[in-house]
Amino acid sequence: MPLFRNLPLPEAAAAAAHAALLAVALLLLLLRGARALVSRCASCLKAPRRNAAAADRALAGAGAGVGAWYRAALACCAYALLAQVAALSYEVAVAGSHVAVEALLLPAVQALAWTTLLALAQQVRSVGWDRFPVLVRVWWVVSFALCVGIAYDDSRRLMSDDEASAVDYAHMVANFASAPALGFLCLVGVMGSTGVELEFTDDSDAHEPLLLGGQLRDADEEPGCLRVTPYGDAGVVSLATLSWLSPLLSVGAQRPLELTDIPLMTHKDRAKSCYKAMSSQYERQRVECPGSEPSLAWAILKSFWREAAINGSFAAVNTVVSYVGPYLISYFVDYLSGKIVFNHEGYILASVFFAAKLLETLTARQWYLGVDVMGIHVKSGLTAMVYRKGLRLSNSSRQSHTSGEIVNYMAVDVQRVGDYAWYFHDIWMLPLQIILALAILYKNVGIAMVSTLVATALSIAASVPVAKLQEHYQDKLMTSKDERMRKTAECLKNFRILKLQAWEDRYRLKLEEMRNVECKWLRYALYSQAAVTFVFWSSPIFVAVITFGTCILLGGELTAGGVLSALATFRILQEPLRNFPDLISMIAQTRVSLDRLSHFLQQEELPDDATITVPQASTDKAIDINDAAFSWNPSSPTLTLSGIHLSVVRGMRVAVCGVIGSGKSSLLSSILGEIPKLCGQVKVSGSAAYVPQTAWIQSGNIEENILFGSPMDKQRYKRVLEACSLKKDLQLLQYGDQTIIGDRGINLSGGQKQRVQLARALYQDADIYLLDDPFSAVDAHTGSELFREYILTALASKTVIYVTHQIEFLPAADLILVLKDGHITQAGKYDDLLQAGTDFNALVCAHKEAIETMEIFEDSEEDIVSSVPNKRLTPSISNIDNLKNKISENEKPSSTRGIKEKKKPEERKKRSVQEEERERGRVSLNVYLSYMGEAYKGTLIPLIILAQTMFQVLQIASNWWMAWANPQTEGDAPKTNSVVLLVVYMSLAFGSSLFVFVRSLLVATFGLATAQKLFVKMLRCVFRAPMSFFDTTPSGRILNRVSVDQSVVDLDIAFRLGGFASTTIQLLGIVAVMSKVTWQVLILIVPMAVACMWMQRYYIASSRELTRILSVQKSPVIHLFSESIAGAATIRGFGQEKRFMKRNLYLLDCFARPLFSSLAAIEWLCLRMELLSTFVFAFCMAILVSFPPGTIEPSMAGLAVTYGLNLNARMSRWILSFCKLENRIISVERIYQYCKLPSEAPLLIENCRPPSSWPENGKIELVDLKVRYKDDLPLVLHGISCMFPGGKKIGIVGRTGSGKSTLIQALFRLIEPTGGKIIIDDIDISGIGLHDLRSRLSIIPQDPTLFEGTVRMNLDPLEECTDQEIWEALEKCQLGEVIRSKEEKLDSPVLENGDNWSVGQRQLIALGRALLKQAKILVLDEATASVDTATDNLIQKIIRSEFKDCTVCTIAHRIPTVIDSDLVLVLSDGKITEFDTPQRLLEDKSSMFMQLVSEYSTRSSCI
């Protein structure tokens, strides 16, 4: 065009660009007007839609709030318009009528453009958009780029002496004046956010988030967030720029993010879809090839091959364009040397460089995000498969996989397989990169590239033995980690018994020993990785030396351009070669994890045909077992149950009794299909509900535990509470049935847990009820009431099979089964069995013997009376009435009862269990400093920085040497001979690799030492934490820290810290090289760095909170895993596998939401920073090509371009490495939280240690003892004062919530008294160390706890007793014969939770511990609740004989257990109601103890 002919090229380009953008804006405006016209015409033909009207009303009531960001953008637009109007006015005023049209063209077009932009920007506020239109943003970015180009051209012509290069000063001043404003608008254009927010001024529904139709079909979605991520429906521009994420980041920049701010995943990205895809592919292989093991890797690939293919296409394009720069460098150096092939060659080369880097940046971000999404899919699907398998494992499979191992499969192995998505394409990309590199090298060094291929092949071949070594170390590391996690999970589950028995130190040392083994393999793996790093950093140098040496030997001529092109190629090739050890290591690790997961998924499941389901209409039998045999260990010659014949008609009540270990619980398991069936048939007709002997309670509130997934029916719910005697308990709780239950119901009493279980079963309204000793944990009154209201009334029409040791509950049964040694020895009604004699008669006689002990007492108690102060409180008539009122169901809690013993921890739970603690805001600098100072006082940090600096300096020096020493163009003479050239290059290059090796060793050493110190510190703080911490903290949270967070500290953080230092030094090196050649780059480097830091701050505000939310959301997944595996039998018994599976999928989605947003935010930041770096590189190229030939040395310019090609990657990696470091350092922050837990009193106080013989008498004095669970909660024990004489037997009784358990906790100092004191043998126990106290006391708890290991280890974990002493203890507790019958004797295995031993046998082992400990004071806390009456009598005889000189404090609901005590303490509402001998208390017919005895004696007749 003639108008453009006389304008300088940059100004002509600017005028043309603005004119084109104006034309596009006009076209869009016309299209919009036409669309509005059509819509208006259509609206005249039909009534307006209600939705549209509602939307109009909503928007009418809304106003737009604007911030400084939007106002600044408008001001900049107005300023730019004013500058162009001023330039236009100046041209007209100065030139007058002689003004040239071309002089007015640029300011006129720009003035019109800025008027349009100002109007469009103002429209944003009226419409209420939160993003500027794409056209406006592109226009601003282009305007700034044109402004920089014009400024550079004006500067060049201003310094030129050529008269033809005159400058239009009006244009130049206007352009320079507009530059700051345009720079800001460019930044706004890149960010896109307007800062405009809608503010609704009425109460219309418009402020409610709109439901996205079809996206919320799942009822269990997160109710607080109704948005689905726009990622699935985003347009091409939004996907390419990742601007769909900007609204979330905008919220995060204003305030800390919460889970409800994070949008839901799309349906195809949710765990349910991923699980279905993977599971179907896996099962298809099993069906198609039944003889071979299904391939998990193939199932994953078949499920997600489309995603992998799309990611592969982005990876391929990215790889190809990354080699464009190295290919063109030689042409660029030739151009700078004066060899110009065609016009504008320099600008075209610069444009191609720019376009290639731009395409590389865009494709890299899409590739990486796609890989991240694929990784999420794989992890979600695999986790769901592992969880489902855990619910279906057979007993034999369950024995070989503990809950800790299964959690490790999910926490570590699944994570590793998901992470492999990052390395998946490297397998085929490496050959492609080598081929492209060889093509470029062939152009530069000719046939010598064959040596490159050989050298590369040798480098890769060297990794084969390394891969095997890495796999070996990884396998050992995972095995040792499994062992540690298994033992950690077991300790956390049984921490109460560890503290009561004073075993914390012993088990802590065991864990530290396991950690040391793990550390050994971790050290081998990391140090071998350091050696591998040296080898592979040296590989590109080795390849370069071989290539250049071969070229020289063959007579080829090296030029600066060819050398720089080759070096740039080696630099790109260096990345995959350097990552090759990571690839090999990852393949090895992933293979190990895949093998472990495949092995687990192939484990035997419970057979579907274990029981045969019969339609109810076809039979009147609910259960029919015909000649069946069962064994928990099918390979064992001894059967658990044999010759079982059982026919139960619908509606029958069947009681099962027998001595401990006779197979009662196993019989119920056979009906459920839990125990392997060897022969026979089991037919079941109707749905079942199961109540196990050991209560399984979920974390959550009481109502959720009772409903167990069923919908709420208020009437039925109320009836269930009444039938289970729970109304009175709920009245004691401040939050009633909304009270949060702790981990495994730890803050409920044994009786409360059992009744919650019974309520759960009753609410399901099943046809068959299987109850395993449900009355053992409740007192006599509650037991009688439960039996009457629950079994005889609520389940009157149901089929009930109940195991019981209480003989008084047998007469009401329609059928009684007597088991002995796995056989049904007798079956019939109560009277018939009595007449038959034998085994049943023995059980009844034992019960009668226990009852008889309550009738007559010898006068030998009188000598006790004189020595005991009479603390008995004679109840008045009102007291008796009050006692009776307590039994009444309709009575409301009085103000004196208020809040009872168990309310304290529950109230705390209500506030603390619901949400895991997390920090907010920036990670404190102290966290970084503390971490860096943990190992060697931080002395390794400067050495790491020095090693990295030396590496960078030597690497730049080696490249500079090759560029300087070789001829600039063909025909020039070299500056040195070939030998010196190669020797100097090798010295510099291999020297740089040596420093990398030193740095890797230092980082590995620093990381290992720090990780070990943090682990030991955290472990010791957790083990010293008070019991209240474990009551209020789900074990999943602690496991999350000792597994996931600790793994991050072990393997990641030190290397992230080293990587950040490395990238910082590399970036400084690149900037130094580029600015040495073109100092003008510094003009853009500084603002670019400022912009990058601003974006980093903007990003990190959201990213930090996303990472914290991510850590918090991981714990519920782990907790549900461990909880579900522990209660798998109950879940299966109720047929609730699908509901728990759905819950698991929901929690996985809650975890995936912040994970996806966090990963997308990383790519969002990288894209913007790489775009800035790309523009800086383009600016550098433009400056270089604009210099006249010969102005700068071509080799140095080529070196600057070689390093500039890497600028965008290094810049983004620099910011990214810091952001990832801050995200990862949150794991250290979380570990430090547990390093600051409040601690119990000291274990030992050196100057206050009791004598070794203490306590000698066992006298216990309670002096005005007051106890509360927390400072702001009411008292539980109200000033108790009494004295237990040494060597006497003390029975402690009382209703639920009376304070019995609290008193025992105070005795062992699990709870510290608020006031008063406890004195044992004249020593105040609050003044001595906890270990000295607890190690001198002995306890047999209500829930017998066995640890995984051997019988010997469970009896004597401290290894203080001889085998002879252990055998004597076993004989005394009636287990000698059982243990001798086993092949391994004392080394007989004990599985996790003691699952291969009956509950009664576990209780006897606990008695054996007490016999071995021989403490002067023994506490029995419902110790015989789970054994039959005969065994109870036997245990009492053993205790009377073996502990005759000891003080024995017995809490029991069975009155015969305490009736022969020397003294009985009756507690009520935390106060002493009665304290006297049993004889005196029974003489007073109005005493509370007399009432308890009467209830127990007469309850059989009351039934």
Side-chain angles (χ1 to χ4, degrees):
M1 290 178 64
L3 286 175
F4 293 102
R5 190 168 297 159
N6 296 325
L7 283 176
L9 180 61
E11 293 191 6
H18 281 293
L21 289 168
L22 273 170
V24 171
L26 181 61
L27 178 62
L28 291 175
L29 189 62
L30 290 173
L31 290 174
R32 184 176 177 184
R35 181 181 176 185
L37 182 61
V38 171
S39 299
R40 193 171 292 112
C41 293
S43 66
C44 296
L45 300 176
K46 59 182 179 180
R49 293 173 300 171
R50 293 179 61 190
N51 288 348
D56 290 342
R57 287 196 303 273
L59 289 175
V66 297
W69 189 262
Y70 175 76
R71 293 192 185 94
L74 281 184
C76 288
C77 287
Y79 175 74
L81 173 61
L82 182 64
Q84 298 306 323
V85 169
L88 188 64
S89 303
Y90 178 81
E91 293 285 0
V92 173
V94 172
S97 58
H98 303 291
V99 63
V101 177
E102 57 269 21
L104 301 178
L105 179 63
L106 181 61
V109 171
Q110 286 190 323
L112 189 58
W114 286 109
T115 302
T116 305
L117 283 168
L118 186 60
L120 290 174
Q122 285 179 322
Q123 186 190 19
V124 167
R125 177 177 180 178
S126 60
V127 178
W129 290 339
D130 62 344
R131 312 278 298 167
F132 283 108
V134 175
L135 177 64
V136 173
R137 293 163 58 192
V138 170
W139 206 331
W140 282 341
V141 174
V142 169
S143 298
F144 178 65
L146 292 171
C147 175
V148 172
I150 293 172
Y152 170 72
D153 185 64
D154 287 343
S155 302
R156 186 174 59 82
R157 288 191 289 122
L158 189 65
M159 293 184 288
S160 175
D161 296 332
D162 188 359
E163 293 183 2
S165 302
V167 178
D168 188 322
Y169 288 101
H171 292 186
M172 184 181 71
V173 171
N175 189 68
F176 274 107
S178 303
L182 296 187
F184 176 76
L185 289 175
C186 177
L187 182 61
V188 175
V190 172
M191 300 300 301
S193 177
T194 61
V196 174
E197 292 184 358
L198 283 179
E199 298 171 349
F200 292 93
T201 56
D202 65 355
D203 295 329
S204 69
D205 292 336
H207 69 281
E208 296 292 340
L210 297 176
L211 292 178
L212 301 178
Q215 299 287 2
L216 293 178
R217 288 175 291 201
D218 292 341
D220 58 350
E221 299 282 359
E222 172 66 38
C225 181
L226 302 178
R227 304 183 316 279
V228 175
T229 177
Y231 173 68
D233 301 323
V236 175
V237 176
S238 182
L239 285 173
T241 60
L242 301 176
S243 56
W244 55 266
L245 188 67
S246 297
L248 179 64
L249 298 181
S250 178
V251 173
Q254 296 167 22
R255 60 173 173 80
L257 288 175
E258 302 294 340
L259 181 63
T260 51
D261 296 319
I262 305 171
L264 305 172
M265 306 286 283
T266 58
H267 277 285
K268 67 181 182 66
D269 293 328
R270 294 184 190 175
K272 183 177 181 180
S273 302
C274 302
Y275 164 68
K276 283 185 174 180
M278 289 179 59
S279 183
S280 62
Q281 291 293 340
Y282 191 74
E283 292 302 321
R284 183 177 300 171
Q285 292 182 59
R286 195 195 299 271
V287 172
E288 293 175 354
C289 305
S292 59
E293 183 177 322
S295 170
L296 186 58
W298 183 246
I300 294 171
L301 185 60
K302 289 275 285 182
S303 302
F304 306 113
W305 68 268
R306 290 184 181 86
E307 296 175 41
I310 293 171
N311 293 338
S313 62
F314 281 121
V317 173
N318 180 267
T319 301
V320 171
V321 297
S322 67
Y323 279 88
V324 171
Y327 179 79
L328 293 179
I329 283 180
S330 59
Y331 295 106
F332 190 73
V333 173
D334 289 345
Y335 168 79
L336 294 179
S337 302
K339 295 176 63 176
I340 301 175
V341 180
F342 53 86
N343 291 334
H344 305 296
E345 180 187 4
Y347 288 104
I348 291 174
L349 283 173
S351 300
V352 174
F353 270 114
F354 172 69
K357 294 304 292 181
L358 190 61
L359 188 58
E360 181 185 350
T361 296
L362 294 174
T363 54
R365 303 282 65 85
Q366 297 303 314
W367 169 25
Y368 292 162
L369 183 59
V371 164
D372 288 330
V373 172
M374 184 176 170
I376 293 174
H377 289 171
V378 172
K379 283 182 273 193
S380 296
L382 269 180
T383 304
M385 289 177 71
V386 171
Y387 180 79
R388 187 257 173 205
K389 189 71 178 184
L391 289 180
R392 296 292 304 156
L393 281 180
S394 68
N395 178 66
S396 57
S397 301
R398 182 72 182 83
Q399 290 179 10
S400 58
H401 294 87
T402 65
S403 58
E405 283 180 337
I406 299 174
V407 168
N408 232 20
Y409 291 141
M410 181 272 297
V412 179
D413 293 293
V414 168
Q415 179 75 25
R416 184 165 292 134
V417 174
D419 290 343
Y420 183 69
W422 270 94
Y423 298 86
F424 177 71
H425 295 294
D426 288 355
I427 299 171
W428 60 265
M429 280 173 55
L430 184 61
L432 175 62
Q433 289 168 319
I434 291 174
I435 291 170
L436 292 172
L438 291 176
I440 296 174
L441 290 171
Y442 181 75
K443 179 180 77 75
N444 292 309
V445 298
I447 197 64
M449 68 90 181
V450 174
S451 63
T452 306
L453 180 62
V454 173
T456 304
L458 289 174
S459 299
I460 294 175
S463 64
V464 174
V466 173
K468 292 183 179 179
L469 190 66
Q470 289 284 333
E471 185 173 351
H472 171 69
Y473 288 153
Q474 192 63 36
D475 199 12
K476 293 290 187 181
L477 179 61
M478 291 308 302
T479 302
S480 59
K481 189 179 184 69
D482 279 347
E483 290 296 320
R484 176 176 65 84
M485 286 304 300
R486 178 191 303 177
K487 185 58 70 176
T488 303
E490 187 178 51
C491 288
L492 293 176
K493 192 183 300 181
N494 303 305
F495 229 101
R496 185 176 293 274
I497 196 67
L498 291 183
K499 287 187 176 293
L500 289 170
Q501 299 284 6
W503 291 346
E504 311 109 290
D505 267 2
R506 174 67 179 172
Y507 279 84
R508 177 182 59 78
L509 290 173
K510 278 188 180 180
L511 285 176
E512 289 184 8
E513 289 170 6
M514 290 179 169
R515 172 64 182 178
N516 289 336
V517 174
E518 183 185 355
C519 250
K520 179 184 76 172
W521 295 112
L522 183 64
R523 182 177 294 107
Y524 288 160
L526 293 180
Y527 282 161
S528 64
Q529 186 64 35
V532 169
T533 302
F534 169 69
V535 172
F536 281 91
W537 269 95
S538 303
S539 293
I541 300 166
F542 170 69
V543 171
V545 170
I546 295 296
T547 303
F548 293 146
T550 305
C551 182
I552 293 171
L553 289 174
L554 293 176
E557 184 179 359
L558 291 174
T559 63
V563 166
L564 289 171
S565 178
L567 288 175
T569 304
F570 292 141
R571 179 183 290 274
I572 294 182
L573 192 60
Q574 183 182 30
E575 195 71 23
L577 284 178
R578 192 173 64 221
N579 290 337
F580 194 69
D582 291 338
L583 174 62
I584 296 298
S585 174
M586 196 64 192
I587 289 175
Q589 294 175 24
T590 306
R591 182 179 168 186
V592 170
S593 292
L594 278 172
D595 288 344
R596 283 159 52 86
L597 290 170
S598 295
H599 176 68
F600 176 69
L601 293 176
Q602 286 298 304
Q603 290 296 298
E604 180 188 26
E605 296 185 4
L606 288 170
D608 295 329
D609 60 349
T611 59
I612 301 172
T613 303
V614 180
Q616 289 182 283
S618 64
T619 179
D620 63 342
K621 294 180 180 178
I623 298 167
D624 189 12
I625 303 177
N626 184 25
D627 193 24
F630 307 89
S631 176
W632 288 112
N633 184 7
S635 61
S636 172
T638 306
L639 299 181
T640 307
L641 296 171
S642 61
I644 303 297
H645 292 269
L646 176 63
S647 182
V648 180
V649 177
R650 191 173 297 115
M652 282 182 67
R653 279 192 298 273
V654 180
V656 183
C657 60
V659 298
I660 59 171
S662 58
K664 302 183 296 296
S665 298
S666 297
L667 180 63
L668 298 187
S669 295
S670 70
I671 299 171
L672 291 169
E674 294 287 326
I675 181 171
K677 182 180 64 178
L678 304 182
C679 63
Q681 280 188 335
V682 180
K683 297 180 180 179
V684 179
S685 177
S687 60
Y690 173 54
V691 177
Q693 187 174 10
T694 302
W696 177 73
I697 303 293
Q698 282 186 277
S699 294
N701 62 41
I702 294 174
E703 180 189 287
E704 291 168 352
N705 270 275
I706 294 174
L707 297 182
F708 206 53
S710 299
M712 168 60 84
D713 181 335
K714 291 285 186 183
Q715 292 303 317
R716 191 193 340 167
Y717 184 73
K718 185 177 180 181
R719 290 195 300 270
V720 166
L721 293 181
E722 290 173 352
C724 297
S725 304
L726 276 171
K727 289 189 69 175
K728 289 176 287 185
D729 294 272
L730 296 182
Q731 289 170 356
L732 301 177
L733 307 175
Q734 182 178 0
Y735 298 101
D737 61 0
Q738 298 304 308
T739 299
I740 298 293
I741 299 174
D743 198 15
R744 303 181 310 282
I746 199 167
N747 53 347
L748 294 180
S749 70
Q752 288 169 331
K753 285 191 283 188
Q754 196 67 277
R755 279 176 285 142
V756 169
Q757 278 205 124
L758 288 166
R760 176 171 64 205
L762 182 57
Y763 191 83
Q764 302 308 306
D765 195 25
D767 301 311
I768 302 169
Y769 283 79
L770 305 174
L771 314 177
D772 195 351
D773 199 12
F775 311 116
S776 61
V778 296
D779 57 56
H781 168 75
T782 307
S784 301
E785 189 176 337
L786 266 179
F787 191 81
R788 183 172 56 250
E789 297 295 332
Y790 191 89
I791 290 184
L792 299 185
T793 306
L795 300 181
S797 61
K798 305 291 185 180
T799 305
V800 182
I801 300 181
Y802 60 97
V803 173
T804 184
H805 290 128
Q806 279 84 353
I807 302 299
E808 56 270 24
F809 294 143
L810 297 180
D814 299 318
L815 176 67
I816 299 172
L817 302 177
V818 182
L819 268 71
K820 183 177 181 182
D821 297 330
H823 302 276
I824 299 178
T825 57
Q826 290 177 275
K829 292 206 171 212
Y830 184 83
D831 294 334
D832 299 336
L833 294 179
L834 269 183
Q835 294 174 5
T838 64
D839 298 324
F840 183 71
N841 201 25
L843 292 172
V844 175
C845 290
H847 175 66
K848 289 181 177 178
E849 180 186 338
I851 294 294
E852 289 169 359
T853 61
M854 299 188 297
E855 295 177 355
I856 300 174
F857 296 94
E858 300 296 334
D859 295 334
S860 58
E861 295 176 346
E862 293 179 1
D863 59 323
I864 303 170
V865 178
S866 59
S867 65
V868 180
N870 192 343
K871 292 287 183 181
R872 176 179 163 208
L873 306 179
T874 305
S876 64
I877 298 299
S878 59
N879 285 337
I880 297 172
D881 291 340
N882 189 29
L883 177 64
K884 291 177 180 177
N885 287 339
K886 290 179 186 177
I887 302 171
S888 172
E889 291 180 355
N890 300 322
E891 197 266 317
K892 294 184 179 179
S894 66
S895 58
T896 58
R897 279 212 310 260
I899 301 169
K900 293 295 188 294
E901 167 188 2
K902 290 298 172 184
K903 175 194 161 185
K904 296 353 182 243
E906 286 153 1
E907 184 177 36
R908 181 168 64 248
K909 292 291 297 178
K910 181 72 179 179
R911 293 195 295 263
S912 64
V913 164
Q914 296 176 22
E915 183 178 354
E916 185 174 357
E917 67 280 359
R918 68 178 173 102
E919 303 289 341
R920 283 172 170 78
R922 293 184 62 85
V923 177
S924 170
L925 182 62
N926 289 334
V927 175
Y928 291 95
L929 296 177
S930 299
Y931 175 77
M932 290 189 289
E934 283 289 343
Y936 308 105
K937 298 183 179 179
T939 53
L940 294 184
I941 301 296
L943 296 178
I944 292 171
I945 294 173
L946 178 63
Q948 181 60 36
T949 304
M950 291 302 299
F951 157 74
Q952 188 65 25
V953 169
L954 292 176
Q955 193 182 53
I956 292 174
S958 65
N959 293 336
W960 172 83
W961 169 258
M962 290 300 289
W964 174 83
N966 281 293
Q968 301 300 303
T969 57
E970 292 183 13
D972 289 355
K975 298 180 181 177
T976 183
N977 62 61
S978 57
V979 175
V980 174
L981 177 73
L982 287 178
V983 168
V984 172
Y985 176 69
M986 287 174 60
S987 302
L988 294 171
F990 282 111
S992 67
S993 294
L994 182 62
F995 278 105
V996 165
F997 176 60
V998 171
R999 189 208 71 186
S1000 299
L1001 280 179
L1002 290 174
V1003 169
T1005 303
F1006 168 77
L1008 273 169
T1010 305
Q1012 184 67 355
K1013 279 198 171 185
L1014 284 177
F1015 176 82
V1016 171
K1017 187 182 293 186
M1018 174 176 62
L1019 185 70
R1020 291 180 179 177
C1021 287
V1022 168
F1023 268 69
R1024 293 290 298 119
M1027 199 61 223
S1028 59
F1029 168 74
F1030 300 97
D1031 289 347
T1032 58
T1033 306
S1035 59
R1037 291 186 187 172
I1038 307 174
L1039 286 174
N1040 197 12
R1041 280 172 169 81
V1042 298
S1043 61
V1044 178
D1045 289 318
Q1046 187 61 45
S1047 291
V1048 171
V1049 174
D1050 285 344
L1051 299 167
D1052 206 11
I1053 291 184
F1055 298 94
R1056 293 283 178 196
L1057 200 61
F1060 175 67
S1062 168
T1063 312
T1064 303
I1065 294 168
Q1066 288 180 8
L1067 186 62
L1068 292 174
I1070 291 172
V1071 171
V1073 171
M1074 291 178 67
S1075 58
K1076 173 69 172 66
V1077 178
T1078 53
W1079 61 266
Q1080 293 89 343
V1081 169
L1082 293 175
I1083 299 173
L1084 283 187
I1085 286 289
V1086 174
M1088 185 192 75
V1090 172
C1092 284
M1093 293 302 295
W1094 180 87
M1095 281 191 287
Q1096 183 267 339
R1097 283 176 171 273
Y1098 185 81
Y1099 154 83
I1100 202 65
S1102 299
S1103 176
R1104 186 193 306 116
E1105 299 308 318
L1106 286 170
T1107 303
R1108 285 173 173 152
I1109 294 172
L1110 197 61
S1111 299
V1112 170
Q1113 289 303 312
K1114 187 77 171 178
S1115 297
V1117 179
I1118 295 177
H1119 184 66
L1120 182 68
F1121 254 67
S1122 54
E1123 191 173 65
S1124 301
I1125 291 161
T1130 304
I1131 294 170
R1132 291 192 294 265
F1134 283 90
Q1136 294 270 4
E1137 297 101 311
K1138 286 186 178 179
R1139 183 174 72 86
F1140 275 81
M1141 189 70 195
K1142 191 175 183 181
R1143 175 68 180 170
N1144 179 56
L1145 294 173
Y1146 165 69
L1147 290 177
L1148 287 173
D1149 285 334
C1150 285
F1151 175 70
R1153 285 160 57 192
L1155 176 61
F1156 171 68
S1157 298
S1158 177
L1159 295 171
I1162 292 172
E1163 304 307 329
W1164 180 93
L1165 177 68
C1166 287
L1167 175 67
R1168 279 147 182 78
M1169 289 192 299
E1170 289 193 12
L1171 286 175
L1172 282 176
S1173 303
T1174 300
F1175 284 119
V1176 171
F1177 175 66
F1179 179 69
C1180 175
M1181 294 291 294
I1183 292 176
L1184 289 174
V1185 299
S1186 64
F1187 284 148
T1191 307
I1192 58 174
E1193 189 175 349
S1195 61
M1196 290 299 101
L1199 187 64
V1201 173
T1202 303
Y1203 275 88
L1205 285 171
N1206 214 24
L1207 176 63
N1208 61 340
R1210 289 300 163 199
M1211 175 62 79
S1212 64
R1213 188 169 292 182
W1214 176 55
I1215 295 293
L1216 190 60
S1217 62
F1218 174 71
C1219 294
K1220 283 195 172 184
L1221 174 62
E1222 177 144 348
N1223 289 342
R1224 294 295 190 273
I1225 205 76
I1226 288 171
S1227 289
V1228 176
E1229 181 183 69
R1230 285 163 56 79
I1231 287 176
Y1232 274 134
Q1233 284 177 349
Y1234 275 23
C1235 291
K1236 298 173 184 176
L1237 293 175
S1239 177
E1240 284 187 310
L1243 291 177
L1244 298 173
I1245 302 176
E1246 290 301 333
N1247 56 349
C1248 293
R1249 299 204 64 178
S1252 59
S1253 59
W1254 180 86
E1256 294 181 3
N1257 299 319
K1259 183 176 72 171
I1260 303 173
E1261 296 177 72
L1262 309 179
V1263 181
D1264 194 26
L1265 183 65
K1266 298 176 183 177
V1267 175
R1268 56 163 51 100
Y1269 280 93
K1270 203 174 180 183
D1271 292 340
D1272 57 344
L1273 297 179
L1275 289 172
V1276 184
L1277 297 181
H1278 301 266
I1280 288 180
S1281 296
C1282 63
M1283 187 266 288
F1284 300 162
K1288 303 302 179 183
K1289 310 297 179 285
I1290 314 296
I1292 304 173
V1293 296
R1295 303 284 186 203
T1296 297
S1298 59
K1300 304 184 299 294
S1301 296
T1302 305
L1303 178 60
I1304 300 305
Q1305 291 186 66
L1307 181 63
F1308 282 83
R1309 289 180 64 189
L1310 293 182
I1311 306 172
E1312 295 289 352
T1314 305
K1317 54 188 175 180
I1318 300 176
I1319 299 173
I1320 298 178
D1321 280 3
D1322 302 323
I1323 292 181
D1324 185 349
I1325 64 171
S1326 62
I1328 62 175
L1330 291 180
H1331 183 79
D1332 281 336
L1333 170 66
R1334 294 169 183 168
S1335 63
R1336 311 294 176 88
L1337 306 180
S1338 190
I1339 185 170
I1340 304 176
Q1342 181 175 358
D1343 295 323
T1345 300
L1346 296 190
F1347 294 88
E1348 186 181 8
T1350 63
V1351 173
R1352 184 202 310 273
M1353 187 273 289
N1354 272 278
L1355 286 167
D1356 182 30
L1358 303 182
E1359 300 175 0
E1360 294 175 340
C1361 302
T1362 64
D1363 283 6
Q1364 181 62 32
E1365 291 171 331
I1366 294 175
W1367 279 115
E1368 288 175 3
L1370 288 172
E1371 294 293 347
K1372 290 174 183 176
C1373 63
Q1374 307 300 304
L1375 278 176
E1377 185 179 344
V1378 176
I1379 304 297
R1380 289 185 198 279
S1381 66
K1382 296 184 179 293
E1383 186 178 345
E1384 298 92 344
K1385 302 294 189 294
L1386 291 179
D1387 293 321
S1388 298
V1390 176
L1391 300 182
E1392 187 181 21
N1393 302 321
D1395 287 342
N1396 58 334
W1397 298 80
S1398 73
V1399 176
Q1401 289 170 328
R1402 290 181 230 166
Q1403 199 66 276
L1404 292 176
I1405 290 177
L1407 175 61
R1409 289 175 185 157
L1411 289 169
L1412 285 172
K1413 197 171 185 179
Q1414 285 295 320
K1416 196 67 179 176
I1417 297 175
L1418 172 65
V1419 176
L1420 285 81
D1421 186 3
E1422 291 293 344
T1424 58
S1426 301
V1427 299
D1428 58 88
T1429 307
T1431 308
D1432 185 7
N1433 295 342
L1434 179 65
I1435 291 175
Q1436 295 306 321
K1437 288 178 182 176
I1438 294 171
I1439 290 173
R1440 279 194 291 270
S1441 62
E1442 297 299 325
F1443 296 94
K1444 58 185 177 184
D1445 297 326
C1446 301
T1447 305
V1448 180
C1449 301
T1450 305
I1451 296 176
H1453 290 138
R1454 285 181 179 172
I1455 297 302
T1457 304
V1458 296
I1459 198 69
D1460 65 341
S1461 299
D1462 298 319
L1463 292 166
V1464 172
L1465 175 68
V1466 183
L1467 292 176
S1468 178
D1469 297 339
K1471 299 176 183 177
I1472 297 178
T1473 303
E1474 297 160 1
F1475 182 42
D1476 212 328
T1477 64
Q1479 186 178 23
R1480 283 191 179 181
L1481 292 176
L1482 290 174
E1483 287 173 357
D1484 185 348
K1485 303 305 179 184
S1486 63
S1487 73
M1488 189 173 180
F1489 182 68
M1490 181 64 191
Q1491 186 168 355
L1492 292 171
V1493 172
S1494 299
E1495 288 171 359
Y1496 189 87
S1497 301
T1498 60
R1499 69 179 180 181
S1500 295
S1501 59
C1502 293
I1503 292 172

